[in-house]
Each structure stands twice: as structure tokens, then as C-alpha cells.
Amino acid sequence: MTQLLAFIKKEFYHISRDPRTMLILFGIPIAQLLIFGTVIKSEINDIHIAIYDQSKDETTQQITNKILSSGYFILEENLNNLDEIDAIFKKGKVREVIVFENDFGKKLVKEGTAKMQLIADASDPNTARLAISYTKGIVNDYIVKTNPNLKMPLEIRPEVRMYYNENMKSAYMFVPGTMALILMLISTMMTSISITREKELGTMEVLLVSPLKPVQIIVGKVIPYLFLSIINAFVIILIGRFVFEVPITGSFILLMLETILFILMALCLGILISTVAKNQMVAMFISMIGLMLPTIIISGFIFPIENMPIVLQWFSNIMPARWYIVILRGIMLKGIGITFIWKETLILLGMTFFFIALSIKKFKVRLE
Amino acid sequence: MLIAQIKKMEKIITVKNLVKKFGYFKANDNLTFDVYKGEIFGFLGANGAGKTTTIRILCGLSSPTSGDLKVAGFDIYKETEKIKHNIGYMSQKFSLYEDLTVSENIQLYAGIYGISRKRRKEKEAELLKKLELEDAKNKLIGGLPLGWKQKLAFSVAIFHDPKIVFLDEPTGGVDPITRRKFWDLIYEAANRGITVFVTTHYMDEAEYCNRVSIMDAGKIEALDTPAKLKEIYNAKNMDEVFLKIARK
């Protein structure tokens, strides 16, 4: 036990004396969270539009006002003929053009149907889709409210409710995802680098000649970083809660326990990487490229897993972050307890034990 | 020291038919030798002769392909843990932590070897006084001159009073005066009863050893006292002995 304590103390000296380590540990997570927070957006704001109103009556005027006052759109230009549509899209600023047909208001009252056309610049399909559906929503809403007796072109009018995220805030999506990404990266990178550094410097040999057992070396490496990563997780949750207003509807203790499990898993993965990597550069490369990209792309952080090709779906199963994100979203947004996420928890536990076992085995083999 | 005297002494390392293969390459080809308690045993050879491989096997960092080996009276296959408590090791690379202070490094190794706090403090004070490092106690090792670092690394390697200390080219890159001072420390350790197993390729250092073995291409070509070797090979100094063996 005193052996282990002496070793852990040494690790803390290393960490506290290396400004780069401190920066990676505490600077990067906060920066990453704030950057993701402001860049990734699934809601729209200030989309530039143009309107080609061939009718110019009261109804079209009211619809236009309603659209512009929604806060989502900014009117860039009023168009006067069809040819201008193509030209204005090419300029790039305008993302959507709304066209009202002749006598829009009259037709609506007389025939009960009038045509308007929504044209979007789908070179950015996400924004295009969002802009169109927002516009549709506003127009439908207007027509229903002003003409309660009117039979809508749409026979079924779905009333949409977005459960667990009523306002479709993207922060709800990226805070759990970023948390998983950061903890994964920091934990694996820090342990793998700190072990490979000892290999590079030659101090590892001295440790291995000493009575310290491989398990003690591993535990001694894991504990300091576990401690620091927990602090890190705490900071991320706080930023999520107070800067991006992501609630924690479920049990905070359960959230922290699951987080500790995930961190442990990542730390063990880091040790496994260090047994394979020859030097710090390789360790960093594997942790950064090998983990960051898959975690962002196929763990369900940004892109829905269900939409992926089947092969990538298989791959996403071995991404630890995938399961942790499900757990996080469950606890933070849906407020569910362990009864709903025991399966994911068990998978993380299994992964942790797998990595520990493999690391200890590899650690010994390395001495041959 | 006469051979006859040494023969009577207790064997502390016994190596019988040690073979270490890396694939088809035999790094150690059927080595057999004994090291006696309290002697300074020089393990010589050109780069790549297999010295480091042997020292790593004796320290438990690598396992032999075949052979019977005992270190400090313990079997190298079965009693690794016991061996670890009884040996010290200083590698080719500087093995203290540069971002820790002198005192913190000592604390770490004392901790790892299970030395009590009180005992550590006594020994630490004594050691720093001997090395005249009292003022540098709280300085980071990274800032110390290389000669000091090396002396400190050696002192830390024998801090837990091991029976044997393995030194793998401990004086690489150090000037002759510092090397001489370093050997004073080695003699002191030997006088305290610590067996010293040292690899080197500085032939002047070979003269300081009680016995030397000279390796070439994985085999031990000669093993005796420096005086005897010079006599056998009809050479003025160890340098000549070494060259004669290497050119054979």
C-alpha cells in the first residue's frame, strides 16, 4: 500500500509540474465544449430569404409578416420575376425563396386552395430541410388561425411535440456527446502518454525491476487520472447546466457513477494503447485519430446510428461512447433510472474488465 | 584478490547454459559463469555482443529461452518477486525522474522498496551529505549536471541495500574525472558487501573490476582477473586483451 501511495504521489508531481498536461486536462475540455456548443446547431437562426410575391394582397402580406417576425428569417430581397430566383441563389446568401401565385388571397377564399412554392438551396441539405419545415409550420399555423373553418389542403394535421427537448435545442444533443468525447479522449490520451513516456525515458525498466507489481503500476497510473477526470466531468456538467441550460432530470448520483465507470473504461483503454504504442507520439496518434473520429462520427453523437450502413452500425456497437451517450441522454434528459439503462451499463462494465485483463496480460508479455 | 580466495566465497549469481534467442538470432549462446558475493564483476563486450540481454535476464526484465539461473540464491523462473527485493538496477538511460526534486526521487524509490519513513530520512540525510548535494535537495533533477545525476542514480539504485546491483553502462557519456569519482562510489558499495555486476565498454574501467568476462557474438570468450587475462594474452593493458579477443 505504501508502495502504491509513493507511486501515486509521484504521478501527481508529474501532472502538476507539466503545464502541457494541465492544459490538455483542463483547457481543452472547456474549449471543446464551448466550441461545439456554439458551432453545432440543429435549430435555425437568421436564415436569409427572398420573396417573389406575384399576388401582393393582404393575405400574402400577412403571411410574409408572420414569417419575418418569427425570428428565424431575414428578408434579403423582394423579387420581381422568376429568373431572379436562380441568380439570387447563385450569390449564395439567400437560402430560401418563397413564391406566392397570382391572386393568392382571392383563390384561398373562393376555391379554398391557393399555391405557394418554397424553393431552398439544398447545397446545404440540413439547413434547407430545416428552413422549409419551419416555413411550412408558420404558414399552416397562419392559415388555420385566420380561417378556422377552412378545409386545409392537408387532410391530417399532425400536432408535433418534441418530447424531452420541446424546443429542439441542439445543446441537448451535443452536451452529452461532447462529454463522452472529452472524457474518452482525455482519459485514454493522458494514461497512454504517461506510460509511454516512462518507456521512452527508461524509468519504466527501473519500475519493473523494482518489487512493484504490474498491477500496482497500472493502478498507480489510473488513480490520479481517474481523480482528475472526475473533476473534469463535473466541470462539463456544470457548464452544460449553467451555460447551455441542459437539465439533469434524473439522479445526479447515478449520473456520476456511470461517468466514473466510463472514465475507468477509458483509462484502461489508454493503458492498453500504451502497451502497444512504442512512444508518446504513437500513443497520442492512436488516441486522437483512432478514437476521436469514430467517437464523433459513429457513436451516435451527431449522426443517428439507425441511418448508418449496416456495417458501420456493427462498428458503432464496439464504440464505448455509444453506450455512454445513451446512458447520459437517458439520465440527463429523460430522467430514467438504472432499470432502463442496465444493459448499457453492463456493456461498459464488460468493456472495462476486458481492457483491464488484456492490459495486465500485455503488460507482462511486454517484458519478454 | 586471488582466484583461490574467490573460489572459496559464496556464489551469488549462478548461470548455467543460458541461451536467449530472438527468432533465429542467438543473443546469448550457452553462457555459463558464476559471480561471487562482494566482488565487482565486469561484463565486457563490444556493442551488440549480448551484454544488455544478459543483464536484462538477470534483472527479470526478460526471460531466458533456456538455462538454469539463480540470482541472490533465488530461482529466476519461480522466485522473481524475491529476487526483485534483493537487487538494484541502473540502466543505460538516466533513470531518475527529471521533473521531480532530488528528495522526491529518493522518497519515491524508498516508498517502492518499502523503506520506513524514519529510516528513509536518516539515509537520505546521510546520502545527501556524502554526495554534497544538501543544497540541491529541493531542486529538480533536470537542472543538475550529468555527473551528479549519475552518482545520484547509483545511490538511489542501492538505497534499499540490495545484495546485488546491476549497472548497465553506467558511465556512458561522462568525462574521465567524473567516471573516476563514480568508481569510488562503486568501490564503497562493494566494501559494504554489495556485489556489483557492471557492463562497460571503457577498457580502463575493466582494470577496476575484480574479475571480468569478455563477450563476443553472444559467447563468453574469456573470464578471469584483469591481471591474469593480461598474462594469458600477453598484453600491456585490458584494451589490448580486448582487441586480441575481438580480432580472433
Side-chain angles (χ1 to χ4, degrees):
Chain A
M1 196 59 201
T2 42
Q3 287 181 318
L4 194 59
L5 282 180
F7 191 82
I8 292 172
K9 207 165 150 195
K10 164 200 100 107
E11 286 301 314
F12 274 112
Y13 287 138
H14 286 323
I15 296 164
S16 64
R17 289 195 185 139
D18 184 12
R20 278 177 309 175
T21 311
M22 290 301 270
L23 191 72
I24 294 178
L25 264 173
F26 294 104
I28 289 180
I30 293 172
Q32 217 167 22
L33 190 62
L34 294 177
I35 290 170
F36 271 122
T38 39
V39 172
I40 303 176
K41 283 231 151 83
S42 61
E43 66 258 49
I44 56 170
N45 266 322
D46 300 342
I47 297 272
H48 290 266
I49 58 167
I51 292 173
Y52 176 31
D53 188 350
Q54 301 173 62
S55 172
K56 291 207 174 67
D57 56 37
E58 207 182 323
T59 317
T60 60
Q61 201 54 55
Q62 278 173 354
I63 293 176
T64 305
N65 285 342
K66 187 121 193 202
I67 288 171
L68 294 181
S69 63
S70 68
Y72 301 123
F73 302 100
I74 292 174
L75 179 64
E76 183 71 22
E77 217 177 315
N78 276 305
L79 305 180
N80 296 314
N81 65 62
L82 277 172
D83 300 334
E84 284 178 351
I85 295 175
D86 203 36
I88 202 155
F89 274 135
K90 281 193 177 142
K91 277 195 218 156
K93 200 170 181 188
V94 166
R95 300 306 189 94
E96 186 189 45
V97 174
I98 299 169
V99 185
F100 293 100
E101 69 169 333
N102 268 321
D103 303 324
F104 185 88
K106 277 184 203 161
K107 281 184 183 164
L108 191 65
V109 177
K110 271 192 199 159
E111 300 164 25
T113 168
K115 281 180 191 149
M116 68 184 283
Q117 188 181 19
L118 303 178
I119 308 166
D121 172 2
S123 60
D124 176 356
N126 267 337
T127 314
R129 196 179 304 123
L130 285 166
I132 296 287
S133 71
Y134 273 60
T135 318
K136 266 191 201 161
I138 294 165
V139 173
N140 281 347
D141 192 50
Y142 167 81
I143 293 174
V144 172
K145 274 185 188 146
T146 44
N147 309 290
N149 302 323
L150 190 82
K151 203 173 155 209
M152 281 285 295
L154 291 166
E155 295 281 319
I156 300 163
R157 198 156 52 84
E159 192 157 300
V160 180
R161 268 200 69 193
M162 291 295 181
Y163 259 47
Y164 312 121
N165 187 0
E166 296 281 357
N167 301 319
M168 284 290 277
K169 272 199 203 161
S170 51
Y172 283 28
M173 175 187 85
F174 80 78
V175 168
T178 316
M179 187 160 157
L181 179 66
I182 291 172
L183 292 179
M184 181 94 195
L185 271 189
I186 301 292
S187 308
T188 42
M189 200 160 74
M190 294 320 296
T191 42
S192 61
I193 285 181
S194 92
I195 292 178
T196 43
R197 183 169 52 201
E198 299 229 19
K199 281 206 237 172
E200 247 173 85
L201 294 177
T203 47
M204 187 52 92
E205 285 193 351
V206 179
L207 293 177
L208 291 171
V209 170
S210 82
L212 273 180
K213 295 183 184 68
V215 184
Q216 283 174 312
I217 298 177
I218 291 179
V219 172
K221 285 283 177 193
V222 164
I223 288 182
Y225 290 107
L226 177 64
F227 178 76
L228 292 169
S229 297
I230 290 173
I231 296 180
N232 234 327
F234 215 79
V235 172
I236 297 171
I237 293 174
L238 283 183
I239 294 180
R241 178 74 190 80
F242 294 105
V243 179
F244 298 111
E245 294 169 339
V246 178
I248 301 164
T249 42
S251 152
F252 182 73
I253 293 168
L254 182 63
L255 182 67
M256 281 320 278
L257 286 177
E258 296 279 2
T259 301
I260 291 170
L261 174 63
F262 182 69
I263 293 171
L264 260 179
M265 184 285 311
L267 292 173
C268 295
L269 182 59
I271 287 165
L272 190 60
I273 290 174
S274 74
T275 60
V276 187
K278 283 234 155 35
N279 55 45
Q280 293 182 67
M281 280 299 289
V282 177
M284 191 141 131
F285 203 74
I286 298 178
S287 323
M288 286 287 276
I289 311 295
L291 289 177
M292 189 156 95
L293 283 180
T295 302
I296 293 179
I297 296 169
I298 62 171
S299 71
F301 168 18
I302 297 174
F303 308 109
I305 294 165
E306 294 78 6
N307 293 356
M308 293 173 194
I310 193 81
V311 179
L312 284 185
Q313 290 194 27
W314 292 335
F315 270 113
S316 84
N317 283 330
I318 59 167
M319 298 303 303
R322 172 193 172 154
W323 308 105
Y324 181 59
I325 290 174
V326 172
I327 292 172
L328 276 184
R329 286 187 180 149
I331 298 174
M332 290 173 91
L333 309 179
K334 300 185 198 166
I336 57 182
I338 188 76
T339 42
F340 292 95
I341 47 174
W342 62 269
K343 202 179 81 188
E344 285 80 5
T345 310
L346 230 83
I347 291 172
L348 285 184
L349 259 177
M351 285 178 166
T352 311
F353 282 119
F354 177 71
F355 292 142
I356 291 180
L358 212 59
S359 306
I360 292 175
K361 190 161 173 280
K362 280 253 177 189
F363 217 82
K364 280 182 184 162
V365 170
R366 213 174 49 75
L367 305 183
E368 294 298 313
Chain B
M1 207 184 294
L2 292 167
I3 300 285
Q5 275 177 310
I6 295 170
K7 290 280 187 206
K8 275 180 219 158
M9 290 165 72
E10 191 187 330
K11 288 177 187 172
I12 196 147
I13 300 174
T14 57
V15 175
K16 274 189 201 130
N17 308 327
L18 164 63
V19 175
K20 175 70 180 182
K21 286 188 204 164
F22 294 104
Y24 292 109
F25 174 66
K26 277 186 182 171
N28 285 336
D29 190 357
N30 211 17
L31 303 185
T32 300
F33 62 91
D34 296 321
V35 178
Y36 299 102
K37 199 178 170 194
E39 75 172 332
I40 300 174
F41 187 85
F43 207 58
L44 275 58
N47 289 333
K51 293 172 297 180
T52 300
T53 307
T54 313
I55 215 169
R56 287 177 64 89
I57 290 171
L58 292 173
C59 289
L61 282 173
S62 173
S63 41
T65 310
S66 67
D68 292 330
L69 292 93
K70 273 190 176 171
V71 174
F74 301 110
D75 187 274
I76 210 163
Y77 299 99
K78 293 172 204 150
E79 295 167 306
T80 336
E81 290 309 308
K82 284 180 188 157
I83 292 175
K84 284 181 170 184
H85 277 280
N86 288 295
I87 61 171
Y89 173 65
M90 185 178 162
S91 72
Q92 283 169 341
K93 288 181 187 170
F94 175 66
S95 51
L96 294 177
Y97 293 95
E98 306 238 340
D99 56 344
L100 262 58
T101 67
V102 173
S103 181
E104 284 161 358
N105 267 293
I106 294 175
Q107 278 179 42
L108 169 67
Y109 286 101
I112 289 176
Y113 282 93
I115 296 167
S116 75
R117 204 185 156 83
K118 197 175 147 237
R119 177 108 183 86
R120 187 204 80 220
K121 282 192 173 162
E122 286 167 18
K123 288 203 75 173
E124 186 184 341
E126 194 185 307
L127 174 68
L128 292 176
K129 201 174 163 204
K130 189 174 79 188
L131 296 179
E132 293 166 5
L133 274 171
E134 283 148 310
D135 295 337
K137 189 181 168 192
N138 293 316
K139 280 192 186 140
L140 297 185
I141 298 246
L144 298 180
L146 185 63
W148 287 20
K149 287 188 197 171
Q150 231 118 5
K151 281 196 270 183
L152 194 64
F154 177 70
S155 307
V156 168
I158 58 167
F159 196 79
H160 58 291
D161 294 318
K163 286 187 181 154
I164 312 162
V165 63
F166 292 93
L167 309 172
D168 193 4
E169 291 183 12
T171 52
V174 180
D175 63 83
I177 298 167
T178 316
R179 258 168 48 202
R180 181 65 247 195
K181 284 185 185 163
F182 190 84
W183 273 85
D184 288 342
L185 284 178
I186 294 182
Y187 273 117
E188 204 190 296
N191 286 337
R192 272 163 56 196
I194 298 176
T195 308
V196 180
F197 187 104
V198 55
T199 73
T200 180
H201 49 236
Y202 292 113
M203 286 307 136
D204 57 327
E205 290 187 347
E207 311 266 4
Y208 305 150
C209 299
N210 296 129
R211 286 193 307 148
V212 292
S213 85
I214 299 177
M215 268 185 95
D216 188 41
K219 288 183 175 155
I220 291 182
E221 296 293 342
L223 198 172
D224 219 316
T225 62
K228 194 81 188 249
L229 284 176
K230 280 185 273 188
E231 197 186 308
I232 295 170
Y233 288 92
N234 190 21
K236 283 194 298 291
N237 53 32
M238 285 304 290
D239 215 21
E240 229 173 280
V241 173
F242 187 73
L243 287 174
K244 281 185 176 170
I245 290 173
R247 280 181 191 151
K248 212 170 52 175

